[in-house]
Amino acid sequence: MLDILSAAPDDPSGALVDQVMAVAHLPPTASVAVIGHHTLPLLLALMRRGCECVRSLRPDTVAPDGEAADLAWIVDVASEDELCEALQAARRRTGASGRVIVEGTECVCRTGLAAIRDRAASAGFVVVAFDHRAGRLVFRPAGSRPLAR
């Protein structure tokens, strides 16, 4: 489970959401799909921060809708198979211009961040940023335009 308590003592989920939105270069009103098993605190923090369209997806369950998202945030998965499912769901949601963030320290991949990168490449993503301190990877679809600096 994502250790949101270590992010900030006052509003742990909110602080984590602020970090993620900043690294993704998205406005607070962006549409976000949070993929994982323990997503409620993050969904609530996103709504408190102004995200008007947030949704939670489980990597092991088919979603009833296919609504597009500016960001797919993969917060915790139970296996490498679930990571692959979550990346495919993120690919369908984010289209050609969205971003995908994977919380790497929470992933159960045997070889860590390199495995996440390889799985994401197989799903059609390229790495655009890496938060070393948080172990967070940011991806965009291969062939899309890089983030503006």
Side-chain angles (χ1 to χ4, degrees):
M1 184 166 93
L2 188 61
D3 182 18
I4 58 173
L5 296 177
S6 65
D10 301 299
D11 182 10
S13 298
L16 185 57
V17 164
D18 290 342
Q19 293 169 8
V20 164
M21 296 304 276
V23 77
H25 299 276
L26 291 171
T29 57
S31 172
V32 180
V34 183
I35 304 171
H37 293 281
H38 304 95
T39 61
L40 183 59
L42 300 172
L43 289 174
L44 295 173
L46 284 161
M47 288 188 281
R48 282 193 299 270
R49 298 246 176 331
C51 285
E52 297 170 358
C53 186
V54 297
R55 71 197 57 76
S56 174
L57 304 171
R58 288 186 53 105
D60 57 350
T61 305
V62 176
D65 71 330
E67 193 170 334
D70 300 312
L71 172 65
W73 184 11
I74 301 171
V75 295
D76 67 312
V77 292
S79 67
E80 289 190 41
D81 288 339
E82 279 194 1
L83 174 62
C84 291
E85 292 171 10
L87 286 165
Q88 288 301 324
R91 184 76 171 116
R92 287 188 299 273
R93 296 284 176 156
T94 58
S97 61
R99 297 290 177 257
V100 175
I101 293 181
V102 178
E103 296 294 336
T105 57
E106 300 303 320
C107 186
V108 295
C109 291
R110 288 184 296 274
T111 56
L113 298 174
I116 295 171
R117 183 200 61 225
D118 294 344
R119 301 278 187 195
S122 295
F125 293 108
V126 295
V127 175
V128 293
F130 174 61
D131 181 342
H132 294 276
R133 209 171 79 214
R136 183 176 295 128
L137 292 160
V138 182
F139 299 97
R140 67 173 167 80
S144 68
R145 295 182 56 203
L147 293 170
R149 294 248 170 204

